Amino acid sequence: MSTTIPSSDNKLHKAREVFQGQATRALVAALEVCARCGLCAETCHYHVADPKVEHTPAYRGEVLRRFYRRWHDPLGRLFPKWVGAAALTEADLQKLAHVAFETCSLCRRCALNCPMGIDTAELVRSLRAMLTATGYAPEILEQLADAAIQREESIEFFKESYLEQIGGLEKELQARTGDPQARISVAKDGAEILYVALSGAHTILPAAEIFHEAGANWTLSLYEASNYGVFLSDLARARAIAGRIVNEARRLGVKELVITECGHAYATFRWSVPDWFGPLPFRVRSILEVVADYLKEGRLKVDPRANPEPVTYHDSCNLARNGGVVEEPRFILKRVVQDFREMTPHGYENYCCGGGGGLVANLDAMEVRLKAGWPKAQQIQATGARKVAVACDNCRLQIGDLSEHYGLGVEATGVCDLVCNALVKN
Amino acid sequence: MDTLLLTRLFVGLAALFCLAGLAWRLQAFLALPYKPEQAPPKGRVIPGLLYAFTMAMAPWSKESTRRHLLAYVRGILFHIGIFTSLALLPLSLFPGQLGNFRLLLAVPIGLGALGGWAGFGQRLVGERERALSTPDDFAAVALVSLFMTVAFATLLNDAWLAAFYTVSALMLIYLPFSKMRHFLYFFFSRFFFGIRYSRRGAIGWSSTHLEG
């Protein structure tokens, strides 16, 4: 599913059309209410790392407001320079791609700190939608999104090799649990939980071990949770990618869809998917919420002495600020590690690691994201931790890169990995 | 017709024009779609919304205002001054009856004016603020600060009444076109902020705590 790129003449018209389609009350309120007070500046990790005006959330908003004023404001049409209005040009679209895809990770730390409550991430998403529709999105994001859609369209082709790989992982699970009957079923009818992983054993095996220990009735999805359509702000792609999993869950009649340790996938399924497909006939939770419940219910026995090194926790923006999952990882970590240390700030006020919004996948943005990750590197260093527990794969990759780049000497590890280390097996 | 009567007529017509302009803006805004989230909430929505409109705006609630307490106080004084000055418009029709009430009004208006001019200066000299600002931003804060300055002068001496009405009228005519209109969207913006984050249990009174 590639976007048809309009001709040069039509690109500007298309961009405006896409913007109009996005113009809800929430978006227009965010465009109109800004006082340009600049209080948002230091709340942004980009600005903390590199204090340029271009790294101010208000600036990112102004980038879109210029055109909005030209399109919708009488003074913007009559006296554009007076109100900072400008006509959109193709050269603008090229520059905007850098702003929208490389200098904002959609973390929304600014939104929590804005006196008006402006959701700058929504403004940047709107820009991304305009740029994707006119052919200015990073190619790699489009390739990843299209690959996911192609997989669903050719599922029978992929299924056989996938099942073979899962068979290999099943043997590993049996070795880890000491139970030759341990299974990783795929898209099994009658399961209560459909667990959606990412492509990678590190998101399948730990969860499989946990489900096995807890005696859960679960099955693994055929598809992976990540959704590059969301990073592109391309609703058609995002729906197509998420729709495969929604249909699978409906077909299997599961009670619960459990998302692996992935920030944007959780936020997408938990908060956006019901808007796209209507109320869902199953619950959506993060694996962290499920594991916290298992611990509360006594379905998992753990010994924190298995994780003696000091561990800190990085709140993934999409899980915490945008997802509402803050207490559950802490409930888990306080029970599975001996020395848990909080970063400052943490929770809803955490700093983004710099890897969100598709930045980790975009090789052109590597230098920018490593620089923007400096505040997070400082936070990690201040804790003295040897391990950083992370419940988002993009954050895990970014923190690994930050550790190498800034010489932090820390290991980024999944929360489920720490749980598995600490499991006292039946 | 005497000058005072003319200026009163001017500000009256300007107020009607302003209201018509704001009504036009509001109806255009309300014609836009509102798409509430369909996902079941995690947090407590009504307490969260109440928090968004009250304690979420306290200076200690946000890192940005904790860092910039002076700017926060200046902004509060500025806006209290604006509303008090607007209240003075109808009250000024009965100058002889203001009595000691003048002092009560003069304090917030005077502080508001000072805050406004300080903000104008900050916007002029601050590199970041200057880069973010449009000419309209400067004009809006200057006009509003002038409005409060003349309001303050009027409370000291009724001879300033005509000037007060003239400046008020110019401000009210300009308001629907300028950045000043942002107040119209403020409550909607706080609502969207509050509903989003209270549904996630991410702000103040909206959170539901996990035991243990």
Side-chain angles (χ1 to χ4, degrees), chain A residues 207-222:
Chain A
E209 195 176 343
I210 289 168
F211 284 134
H212 177 84
E213 284 302 313
N217 178 4
W218 76 287
T219 191
L220 180 67
S221 171
L222 268 171

Side-chain angles (χ1 to χ4, degrees), chain A residues 254-258 270 280-285 289 293, chain B residues 40:
Chain A
V254 297
K255 291 186 181 154
E256 188 164 14
L257 189 69
V258 176
R270 178 62 175 87
L280 301 174
F282 46 79
R283 190 178 180 187
V284 177
R285 288 204 291 173
E289 295 173 284
D293 271 358

